[in-house]
Amino acid sequence: QLGVRPGELPGKEQQQLVRALREQGQVPLDPPSVGGWPAGTAWLTTAGTQWRLRAADLVAAKASPAVLDALAAVPANQRVDALARLLAVETFTDRTRAVLAEAAGQQRRMITLALASPEYTVH
């Protein structure tokens, strides 16, 4: 969705991303059981939020310039909805929308916050 290819990240950044995912118990292709990862609010812990923010920041920093430009081209008052569509989030809560709207002028920060949001995490 963001044009980021984890396998193409430089070694240190790739290791940081894998560590952040591992700390959350979300290493791609390595589920905790044959049933996959837990669903719902199991991911919404204080420690998980810290690791989600780190992983989200790593991913947002590598977002494709085309994605950032496309988001910047959307009027600021419509960027939250545009980002929801991009990330396949049905809707953000009013609280999350307010935080994202405040960051609308900083696309990378907005993406980081959206990737770490409860709506993205549990959808």
Side-chain angles (χ1 to χ4, degrees), residues 95-119:
R95 187 174 185 178
T96 300
R97 290 180 76 74
V99 170
L100 294 175
E102 198 172 298
Q106 304 168 26
Q107 286 75 36
R108 282 194 172 107
R109 179 166 170 70
M110 190 178 182
I111 289 169
T112 296
L113 294 170
L115 291 175
S117 72
E119 296 84 354

Side-chain angles (χ1 to χ4, degrees), residues 11-121:
K12 184 177 180 178
E13 291 173 351
Q14 192 176 71
Q15 290 171 356
Q16 289 173 328
L17 180 58
V18 169
R19 180 168 184 239
L21 293 171
R22 181 169 283 124
E23 290 295 328
Q24 296 176 79
Q26 296 178 322
V27 178
L29 306 175
D30 190 19
S33 74
V34 296
W37 290 273
T41 58
W43 303 111
L44 302 179
T45 65
T46 305
T49 298
Q50 181 181 24
W51 287 107
R52 271 194 313 281
L53 279 168
R54 287 182 185 169
D57 192 47
L58 286 167
V59 171
K62 295 298 181 180
S64 161
V67 170
L68 296 173
D69 291 345
L71 196 54
V74 175
N77 65 343
Q78 297 174 19
R79 284 191 192 138
V80 173
D81 292 326
L83 185 56
R85 285 190 300 277
L86 175 68
L87 298 177
V89 172
E90 186 174 329
T91 187
F92 289 111
T93 63
D94 290 343
R95 187 174 185 178
T96 300
R97 290 180 76 74
V99 170
L100 294 175
E102 198 172 298
Q106 304 168 26
Q107 286 75 36
R108 282 194 172 107
R109 179 166 170 70
M110 190 178 182
I111 289 169
T112 296
L113 294 170
L115 291 175
S117 72
E119 296 84 354
Y120 185 78
T121 303

